[in-house]
Amino acid sequence: MSETITPESARPLSPHIQIYRWQIQMVTSILHRATGVALAVGSIMVCALLLALAAGPYPYEAVRGFCGSGLGLFLLLGWTWSLCYHLLNGIRHLLHDAGMGFGIAQFIRAGWISVIGSFVLTALIWACVFARGGVA
Amino acid sequence: MNTADLQTPLKRVRGLGSAKSGTHHFIVQRITAVALIPLVLWSIWLALMLLHADYVAAQALLQQPLNAVLMIAFVLALFWHAQLGLQVVIEDYVHTRWREITLQVAVKFLCVLGALACALAVVRIALGK
């Protein structure tokens, strides 16, 4: 079927999820929420570590052991990236709240900085982890 | 005399929105976010310091007054910010009224409990047994 561009077909489509083109503006927004929820779950780990450290050597070693396990490392890596992304994108949001960076080009660039920066920051932190001899 | 009676309905509702609390949620969310920027960076440093710390070394690290104070500030800001964020997610996606209320109250209780438990743990660590 040949497509001719008529005034009707040139009109923008309504943003229904199946026909909506993915773009950095929506990706950064969705990721901010998703990482926020993931980090709220991750606060359980902060609780566990502090309570174990208050409880005694055996609970503390148990939590450390979990952090060094396969599942523990996987979760810690995920939470590190979530934290880096939510931190960078959160700073971006605060700058937008202050009225900065609302030009379309600037806005898109800032979104990419959040996404790429989060991976760079995660890599830096885990480079520090391995430079110190790995986990546990 | 009730002064509220002297206000027009428009005056009463203006700027307060559907939650009836105006911009309070927005502002507290931003204030806790600003507080969390330095606190998160500090917590990453602390986590790296704790990597090869056994129980005694880890306790000694958190017993330093500055670290103890920053850790309590970190968990308070963290759970406060988490509650505010989860509240918006629940408001947006949970449309059955009783489910929404139950979840909102549960999240608030859990966040307060988490903050209290963490703060008490830090006090116990800092003061020794």
Side-chain angles (χ1 to χ4, degrees):
Chain A
M1 199 173 90
S2 66
E3 289 192 29
T4 37
I5 296 176
T6 61
E8 281 82 10
S9 70
R11 281 178 193 159
L13 296 168
S14 64
H16 193 272
I17 196 74
Q18 282 144 323
I19 52 168
Y20 201 51
R21 187 167 55 84
W22 284 87
Q23 49 189 354
I24 188 68
Q25 294 95 317
M26 68 190 281
V27 173
T28 50
S29 176
I30 292 167
L31 282 181
H32 198 73
R33 279 213 159 172
T35 53
V37 173
L39 288 169
V41 176
S43 67
I44 295 170
M45 198 66 226
V46 177
C47 259
L49 188 72
L50 288 175
L51 293 179
L53 192 55
Y58 296 110
Y60 179 68
E61 286 307 321
V63 171
R64 279 190 76 200
F66 173 73
C67 288
S69 70
L71 177 63
L73 284 173
F74 172 75
L75 288 174
L76 285 177
L77 185 63
W79 282 323
T80 310
W81 175 74
S82 297
L83 188 66
C84 293
Y85 177 77
H86 204 84
L87 176 68
L88 289 177
N89 203 52
I91 292 170
R92 181 174 77 87
H93 272 291
L94 288 172
L95 294 176
H96 287 324
D97 288 339
M100 292 178 224
F102 275 107
I104 293 175
Q106 287 173 296
F107 199 91
I108 289 172
R109 196 186 322 125
W112 280 111
I113 289 172
S114 291
V115 173
I116 295 167
S118 69
F119 286 108
V120 173
L121 208 52
T122 307
L124 268 176
I125 291 170
W126 282 78
C128 287
V129 170
F130 287 113
R132 291 175 64 84
V135 177
Chain B
M1 194 176 95
N2 191 349
T3 51
D5 292 338
L6 297 176
Q7 295 178 335
T8 64
L10 179 63
K11 173 69 182 172
R12 208 172 298 141
V13 80
R14 186 172 275 160
L16 292 179
S18 57
K20 314 284 186 286
S21 59
T23 53
H24 183 255
H25 182 286
F26 178 93
I27 288 167
V28 178
Q29 192 170 43
R30 265 82 194 154
I31 291 173
T32 51
V34 170
L36 278 167
I37 295 172
L39 289 171
V40 157
L41 294 174
W42 166 83
S43 75
I44 292 172
W45 168 83
L46 189 85
L48 290 173
M49 291 297 110
L50 282 175
L51 268 183
H52 298 288
D54 60 7
Y55 176 70
V56 176
Q59 278 227 327
L61 190 63
L62 267 178
Q63 274 171 353
Q64 290 172 23
L66 181 66
N67 287 340
V69 168
L70 288 180
M71 182 52 90
I72 292 179
F74 174 60
V75 293
L76 292 183
L78 162 68
F79 282 106
W80 198 349
H81 191 78
Q83 187 277 318
L84 293 170
L86 290 175
Q87 182 188 333
V88 178
V89 173
I90 294 168
E91 281 168 359
D92 283 357
Y93 301 127
V94 182
H95 300 303
T96 314
R97 193 64 177 152
W98 68 267
R99 275 206 192 105
E100 187 190 342
I101 302 271
T102 311
L103 268 176
Q104 295 287 20
V105 173
V107 163
K108 278 195 170 137
F109 282 3
L110 283 175
C111 284
V112 170
L113 276 181
L116 287 176
C118 286
L120 182 65
V122 176
V123 170
R124 253 189 103 187
I125 295 161
L127 297 182
K129 278 173 200 157

